[in-house]
Amino acid sequence: MTMSLSTVEDKTRATIGVRLFTVLAWVPERQALRRVHSSHPAEYPVGGEKTVEVAAGWLDRCITGQEPYFGPDSAAVREIFADHELIDRLGCGAVINVPVVDDGRTLGVLNILDAEGSYDDASVEAARSLAPLAVPALLELLETR
């Protein structure tokens, strides 16, 4: 039984807290990120895609470099996300993006957001430890598309 992305969300909420949680699957042939899970489906519907309107540095870091991105405050969120106004309206001003990696391949990203000041370096490490939990569900999704 594959752990569902809802369970990954619950574990994230219990471990470091989260206000907005989405999971994006990486679609390398289109250089796009497809939303496959959302705690806020009205604002962030599953199936929505982000082609790379996100900052190139973010892509290099998370997708290519397979390193987390940590934005501790609203300024960092504004710098990276085109939809920062909606993120702000949801009360989020801190973000942790953690790549989900399997066997050297980036499958997607966990997007973990909460109020400004909610996260620190320890939160990033905790989030990084949660990312592997999403591997089976993302592999399953990638196989079925």
Side-chain angles (χ1 to χ4, degrees):
M1 164 83 188
T2 302
M3 179 179 292
S4 74
L5 294 172
S6 297
T7 307
V8 178
E9 178 184 338
D10 293 341
K11 286 191 176 294
T12 303
R13 196 174 299 285
T15 306
I16 58 172
V18 65
R19 192 170 293 200
L20 170 63
F21 180 85
T22 64
V23 181
L24 301 174
W26 175 239
V27 186
E29 55 276 13
R30 287 206 303 283
Q31 296 284 293
L33 290 157
R34 190 175 77 243
R35 195 173 305 105
V36 294
H37 177 84
S38 176
S39 64
H40 287 64
E43 296 89 349
Y44 290 99
V46 166
E49 270 197 16
K50 290 184 177 211
T51 47
V52 189
E53 84 237 14
V54 285
W58 181 93
L59 211 66
D60 289 343
R61 181 176 182 93
C62 274
I63 301 298
T64 311
Q66 300 177 336
E67 284 296 318
Y69 170 79
F70 174 39
D73 54 35
S74 301
V77 171
R78 266 195 308 277
E79 201 174 287
I80 299 293
F81 298 103
D83 55 345
H84 60 83
E85 288 173 3
L86 175 55
I87 290 170
D88 192 54
R89 277 202 303 279
L90 293 173
C92 298
V95 61
I96 302 172
N97 305 120
V98 189
V100 178
V101 179
D102 179 58
D103 202 20
R105 177 171 73 134
T106 304
L107 302 178
V109 183
L110 303 184
N111 300 306
I112 304 165
L113 295 94
D114 207 336
E116 187 166 336
S118 296
Y119 300 134
D120 58 18
D121 291 338
S123 312
V124 177
E125 284 313 304
R128 191 196 287 251
S129 74
L130 294 163
L133 300 176
V135 166
L138 281 174
L139 282 173
E140 211 170 271
L141 286 163
L142 291 168
E143 283 160 14
T144 57
R145 65 178 167 116

